Every structure is written in structure tokens, then in C-alpha cells.
Amino acid sequence: MLKRFFLGLSILVFTEYSMAIEEPKYTVIEAFEEFELRAYEPMIVAETLVSGTLDGAANAGFKLIGGYIFGDNTSSSSVNNKISMTAPVSMQLQSEKINMTAPVSMQQKDGQWLVHFVMPSKYTLDTLPTPNNKAVMLREIPARNYAVLSFSGFTGAIKVDKKITELMTWLKDKGIKPLSEPEMARYNAPWSLPFMRRNEIMVMY
């Protein structure tokens, strides 16, 4: 089952949390209570592959890409640029059969975790500064559709499994086939009160 491959954990660090945080651009195709079908616009990500446990990989991936967005980069003018944080931060654990504006996500690939931050929409591949660390790569992701279930509170494994089941059941009832493993997205800082937290389970379709 899909939920067997998923563990919920995410990291979100805002140096200036009071600032407006850019989120991914999308259009709502259909909405029903806590469920939505969304069409996301193309996006550019900075990504890296890391090994280790989920916790260790999350920390290592965030450190590598966080270094890039916080200035470990070189622009065309040879000046280091700080790139704004985006939200949400998300993580995805993939099975072997499958593969601030938007998410930082993690997915397992050949025993490693693929961690990526979505870059602010003002950038193109030509205008983004070049990572100084060769472990960080830039990649453009085409437009794609996601089914999304939103919920508040904490994101423990039992609750996440329950929400994944709810989303998969909803998709099955609508005759929609999921095309990816579930992804967990969190929009708030770790110190946010549970009832104020915005979380999402996302699946590409």
C-alpha cells in the first residue's frame, strides 16, 4: 500500500517569518470540503541527493540547499545572492517502482533521498545564481496536476496514514488514478500552535 512507503517529517525555517512567503502558483480545478484538484504551473527547483535515515537526510538536504539559497552561490555578476524562502516544505518517500514559492520536497531514489526547494517564480534557469556546491542542482519541472487533502494540527505517522487513506479513497471514488507516491506539505514554522498549522497530503494525477 502507498501509505506503507510514507513517513511524515518536514523542516521549515524562516529567518523572517513575518514576511510574506511565496507559495506555488496553481489553479483549483475542483474543490470539495477539504479536498482539491489543482493544476500547478511549471516551477524550477534546486535539488540534491542525500543518504541516511529520514531525519538525517532531511537535515543534510536542508543544510545543502539552504546554503545555496542563503548565499552559497554565484550570479552572473559574481556577487552572492540570497534567495527568498518559499512555502510549503514537503517530503515524499517513493517506492522503487516510481520515480520561498513552493515546496521543498524529498523522495527516495535508489536508496537515497531527493530533496528539493522550489525557487521563487521571478527566476528562470538563466537568472538563478549558480550553486557553488556541485551537490546542488537546478532543474525545471513542467506543469502538473495534484490531488490535495488539507488538514490542521500535528503530522504524526498515524494521522498521516489516516489522511493518505482518506485522499486515496476519495480519488478512487472519483475514478482518478494517482501517478505518484503521497507527499506531505507543511506551511508553518515548527513553533506554530497546532490549530493554526496548515498541512497537506498531495498526490500527482
Side-chain angles (χ1 to χ4, degrees):
M1 294 181 65
L2 286 172
K3 63 180 180 179
R4 186 174 61 188
F5 295 104
F6 183 85
L7 290 173
L9 174 71
S10 66
I11 300 172
L12 183 55
V13 176
F14 294 125
T15 55
E16 298 179 41
Y17 195 68
S18 60
M19 297 174 59
I21 301 298
E22 187 181 357
E23 297 183 8
K25 290 181 171 57
Y26 63 83
T27 301
V28 176
I29 300 172
E30 183 178 346
F32 180 76
E33 296 180 349
E34 69 268 36
F35 300 96
E36 286 188 345
L37 298 179
R38 300 174 182 172
Y40 279 82
E41 296 183 10
M43 60 186 75
I44 297 172
V45 300
E47 62 186 10
T48 188
L49 278 171
V50 292
S51 301
T53 64
L54 187 61
D55 289 10
N59 291 331
F62 188 89
K63 181 177 180 180
L64 284 168
I65 306 179
Y68 167 67
I69 67 172
F70 295 137
D72 187 17
N73 58 62
T74 304
S75 68
S76 57
S77 61
S78 298
V79 176
N80 292 355
N81 282 336
K82 181 178 177 181
I83 301 170
S84 299
M85 284 294 297
T86 61
V89 172
S90 61
M91 298 182 67
Q92 183 178 21
L93 176 60
Q94 291 197 301
S95 64
E96 294 179 359
K97 63 182 179 181
I98 303 179
N99 142 16
M100 247 175 156
T101 301
V104 177
S105 71
M106 295 185 66
Q107 62 190 70
Q108 195 174 35
K109 182 177 181 181
D110 298 328
Q112 293 183 301
W113 291 91
L114 180 63
V115 184
H116 71 243
F117 287 31
V118 179
M119 298 291 96
S121 58
K122 68 178 182 179
Y123 291 103
T124 66
L125 282 177
D126 292 331
T127 60
L128 274 168
T130 302
N132 291 336
N133 191 327
K134 292 184 178 180
V136 178
M137 300 158 286
L138 301 178
R139 178 170 63 96
E140 188 165 16
I141 297 177
R144 55 184 59 184
N145 293 344
Y146 278 94
V148 180
L149 167 60
S150 300
F151 63 101
S152 61
F154 292 115
T155 52
I158 294 177
K159 184 173 185 179
V160 168
D161 278 351
K162 179 176 180 292
K163 295 300 179 181
I164 290 173
T165 299
E166 290 177 8
L167 179 58
M168 295 303 169
T169 300
W170 186 73
L171 288 174
K172 183 177 180 180
D173 291 342
K174 294 184 70 65
I176 298 175
K177 182 179 179 180
L179 300 179
S180 72
E181 294 291 344
E183 180 177 329
M184 177 69 186
R186 295 175 64 183
Y187 289 78
N188 306 97
W191 55 83
S192 299
L193 295 174
F195 69 90
M196 297 181 66
R197 297 188 182 196
R198 173 187 170 196
N199 312 303
E200 293 177 343
I201 302 297
M202 306 175 66
V203 177
M204 190 168 65
Y205 73 95

